[in-house]
Amino acid sequence: MTGKSVLITGCASGIGHDAAHALKARGWRVFATCRQAADCDRLAAEGLESLTLDYASEDSIATALDEVLSRTGGRLDALYNNGAFACPGAVEDLPRDALREIFETNLFGVHDLTRRVIPAMRAQGHGRIVNCSSVLGLVPLKWRGAYSATKYALEGLTDTLRLEMRDTPIRVILIEPGPVTSKIRANSIPHFERWIDWQNSARADQYRNSLLTRLYEDRGRDFFELPPSAVSRKLIHALESPRPRPRYFVTAPTHLMNLARRLLPTPALDWLIDKG
């Protein structure tokens, strides 16, 4: 039993949901947040302390964190920035507002919450900040430009924060999941339908023959896909190890792509990604 407290975002399903229950089982006091109140009610029924937190709203972030700190007496041992969404589509078809919307959640909200947490961690003399990135923060994939852009940006911001926090007792860590069972595909459909005018795109035939099939057809698990518990195991090490690693790779594709981007010239890496 650790008796420590952690705030986790994006707990409605998938990685965040599994992490909340895994850490609660290990004795952590878990504050599991979701964007929708209905999801928070469901998590409360599962025995979790749950609050609404929407990365896209500064007021929501401030209200949720104030409530957490009021319940803990101003302390918070760890933050796991997990919440994010995807907006599939060719880069040339992404309107400016689509990018603005996804960056508000996947990057700006993460940054806002992190900045608000740091003073409490400084005051208590310790803390762990874990940001959930992606294999798409290491290498790109076609049709995923918006999501990949936010994760590339998150990688840079997190790496810089880690360097700047070296003179403090606050540790900053990245988790790189790769293909993990979640609802991110299904949850991305409304964003695709809102922003991508694919029928009038120069790539309309490619949409029909590629992206639409992957997006709308549930084809079961990918070959390398792991359950969310695989991420939770890495998260536990990141939060509980005396010497956490700066990065945790979870799935085989993430390990492979991290190696490939270091060893291969760009044309060879592009070929490998395109064939994959």
Side-chain angles (χ1 to χ4, degrees):
M1 301 289 288
T2 69
K4 292 184 176 181
S5 57
V6 59
L7 170 59
I8 307 175
T9 63
C11 294
S13 62
I15 291 172
H17 184 267
D18 190 90
H21 281 285
L23 290 176
K24 184 176 185 294
R26 295 181 65 83
W28 284 78
R29 184 177 184 184
V30 176
F31 296 96
T33 71
C34 312
R35 289 190 306 112
Q36 303 296 332
D39 290 322
C40 292
D41 292 341
R42 174 170 51 84
L43 295 187
E46 296 172 5
L48 294 167
E49 289 187 73
S50 187
L51 307 88
T52 57
L53 190 156
D54 184 350
Y55 274 141
S57 167
E58 292 182 45
D59 289 342
S60 175
I61 292 170
T63 299
L65 183 58
D66 285 348
E67 177 62 22
V68 168
L69 294 178
S70 72
R71 296 186 191 184
T72 64
R75 299 176 63 86
L76 186 65
D77 297 287
L79 168 64
Y80 181 31
N81 281 306
N82 166 70
F85 72 86
C87 181
V91 169
E92 64 185 291
D93 296 328
L94 285 168
R96 180 173 183 155
D97 283 345
L99 282 177
R100 182 179 287 113
E101 181 182 72
I102 195 170
F103 267 86
E104 281 289 349
T105 291
N106 291 13
L107 185 72
F108 302 153
V110 170
H111 175 60
D112 188 3
L113 178 57
T114 300
R115 286 189 65 241
R116 294 172 187 268
V117 164
I118 287 174
M121 291 183 172
R122 281 185 180 274
Q124 70 197 15
H126 68 274
R128 302 274 170 103
I129 297 169
V130 182
N131 288 342
C132 191
S133 184
S134 169
V135 64
L136 295 181
L138 305 175
V139 297
L141 280 180
K142 291 186 293 187
W143 309 110
R144 294 162 178 82
Y147 184 80
S148 186
T150 64
K151 293 303 184 180
Y152 267 70
L154 181 65
E155 294 269 334
L157 202 63
T158 306
D159 282 342
T160 305
L161 182 62
R162 185 184 67 250
L163 289 171
E164 292 172 349
M165 288 291 131
R166 290 188 66 186
D167 64 347
T168 78
I170 301 170
R171 297 291 167 259
V172 181
I173 301 150
L174 277 161
I175 290 184
E176 322 275 3
V180 170
T181 305
S182 73
K183 293 183 179 179
I184 192 168
R185 176 192 60 81
N187 290 342
S188 72
I189 291 173
H191 302 284
F192 171 76
E193 293 178 345
R194 177 184 179 190
W195 293 113
I196 307 301
D197 184 14
W198 70 268
Q199 291 173 313
N200 292 310
S201 169
R203 299 184 180 276
D205 288 340
Q206 294 178 11
Y207 278 99
R208 291 188 186 94
N209 298 327
S210 178
L211 180 60
L212 296 184
T213 301
R214 288 191 59 86
L215 193 57
Y216 287 96
E217 294 182 11
D218 185 358
R219 301 186 300 174
R221 294 175 59 181
D222 290 338
F223 182 76
F224 290 107
E225 186 174 306
L226 294 179
S229 57
V231 183
S232 295
R233 286 193 291 271
K234 301 290 187 177
L235 176 63
I236 289 166
H237 192 277
L239 295 181
E240 298 183 1
S241 170
R243 296 181 180 177
R245 305 167 197 161
R247 269 181 172 78
Y248 290 84
F249 302 107
V250 180
T251 59
T254 312
H255 284 280
L256 175 63
M257 288 298 105
N258 181 57
L259 183 64
R261 72 180 180 131
R262 296 173 182 275
L263 298 180
L264 296 180
T266 298
L269 180 60
D270 287 351
W271 179 88
L272 177 64
I273 294 170
D274 196 44
K275 293 300 180 182

